[in-house]
Amino acid sequence: MPVLPGAEPYRHEGGDVGVLLCHGFTGSPQSLRPWAEYLAARDLTVSLPLLPGHGTRWEDMQITGWQDWYAEVDRALLELGERCGKVFVFGLSMGGTLALRLAAKHGHAVSGVAVVNPGNKVHGLSAYALPLARHLVRTTNGLRSDIALAGGEEVGYDRVPLHAAHSLRNFFRLVDGELPQVTQPLLLMRSPQDHVVPPADSARILGRVSSTDIREVVLEQSYHVATLDHDAERIFEESHAFIGRLAPNVGKKGSTTGG
């Protein structure tokens, strides 16, 4: 199937510091493209893959699960690790959860984690209905473009395939158990007014990780897709400063920073 306009993966060859960006559930690289381009303009090597089943039509997502999505970012991380001395993992929503699992599983191969409105749990009665409902109903309404900025638009699906949603629920449970294995510096940026992921998810993550270097940033003017919202520039600047603090040679080609 052809990829939706704007949903294409993005790659930039820059210096010796790499960043992997992970998009969210039913979303696409479009939601993180401005972030990726901001980092690329500062001579970082950037990888923003398109997750399997995403960016085309919801029917393609119906036959995928968390193992497929995680395998794609795991592959991208290993590829960056071969190219760069230090690698950071960033993510939005479920992409933040993917980033946290990469940190838990890859240890020193990940130099730091930055997440925006990361997911930790499928909430409400619908979560308990998923194991049965997914065999009776194929999709439910999605919540796309949760953006405060007038005219803000997210490229993604307006339907949620229930098989994929059930897999997401299982993934959240899995990663919740792995959060204590996250020891890397963590930058967590969250929106108090988020109509997709409640603040409890960020609080749970902050309370479960083993990181001692943690910075929490509150995005007062944005909704869920904050990377396309009023606080986008702040996200970009905070994340770049985060990298600069941990990788002083960022932006210098040919640096030999270990990591």
Side-chain angles (χ1 to χ4, degrees):
M1 287 295 298
V3 174
L4 295 170
E8 303 86 1
Y10 176 81
R11 173 84 188 199
H12 173 78
E13 292 294 334
D16 193 48
V17 177
V19 183
L20 168 62
L21 295 106
C22 310
H23 71 75
F25 183 73
T26 72
S28 76
Q30 177 262 352
S31 62
L32 300 183
R33 183 68 177 257
W35 195 3
E37 291 178 343
Y38 178 97
L39 298 170
R42 284 146 185 84
D43 200 37
L44 289 145
T45 292
V46 179
S47 176
L48 171 52
L50 173 65
L51 300 180
H54 291 71
T56 52
R57 55 178 192 159
W58 69 259
E59 289 88 348
D60 295 327
M61 191 176 180
Q62 178 80 341
I63 57 173
T64 67
W66 74 260
Q67 296 92 339
D68 303 298
W69 314 325
Y70 180 75
E72 179 62 21
V73 295
D74 188 73
R75 178 202 61 75
L77 176 65
L78 293 174
E79 188 177 83
L80 273 179
E82 293 174 355
R83 163 73 175 75
C84 301
K86 279 185 178 292
V87 178
F88 293 80
V89 290
F90 293 178
L92 167 69
S93 194
M94 179 193 74
T97 319
L98 290 168
L100 288 163
R101 184 164 208 253
L102 288 170
K105 290 297 181 184
H106 287 277
H108 294 301
V110 173
S111 295
V113 186
V115 293
V116 177
N117 295 322
N120 178 257
K121 183 180 180 180
V122 175
H123 296 266
L125 292 175
S126 59
Y128 298 97
L130 273 174
L132 176 62
R134 66 194 177 104
H135 297 294
L136 304 174
V137 181
R138 297 183 74 190
T139 70
T140 187
N141 290 327
L143 183 54
R144 185 167 54 90
S145 298
D146 187 33
I147 301 169
L149 180 66
E153 186 72 21
E154 179 187 18
V155 174
Y157 301 149
D158 56 8
R159 305 295 301 174
V160 176
L162 292 193
H163 276 299
H166 181 255
S167 184
L168 176 69
R169 181 187 182 221
N170 292 336
F171 181 60
F172 282 163
R173 285 177 160 182
L174 173 71
V175 178
D176 185 68
E178 296 173 342
L179 287 175
Q181 298 172 41
V182 177
T183 60
Q184 295 90 340
L186 172 63
L187 171 62
L188 187 146
M189 297 170 278
R190 63 175 182 85
S191 304
Q193 296 186 75
D194 186 328
H195 305 97
V196 179
V197 174
D201 285 32
S202 286
R204 171 78 176 177
I205 289 166
L206 290 173
R208 296 273 294 162
V209 297
S210 297
S211 307
T212 55
D213 181 346
I214 296 176
R215 174 168 167 74
E216 181 181 9
V217 175
V218 179
L219 308 171
E220 296 283 1
Q221 302 180 69
S222 300
Y223 294 163
H224 183 64
V225 191
T227 50
L228 297 177
D229 216 327
H230 292 290
D231 291 293
E233 195 71 18
R234 185 177 183 194
I235 291 169
F236 307 162
E237 292 172 355
E238 290 276 2
S239 64
H240 186 250
F242 175 72
I243 293 172
R245 179 169 62 82
L246 297 167
N249 285 328
V250 64
K252 299 177 183 177
K253 286 191 175 182
S255 64
T256 55
T257 306

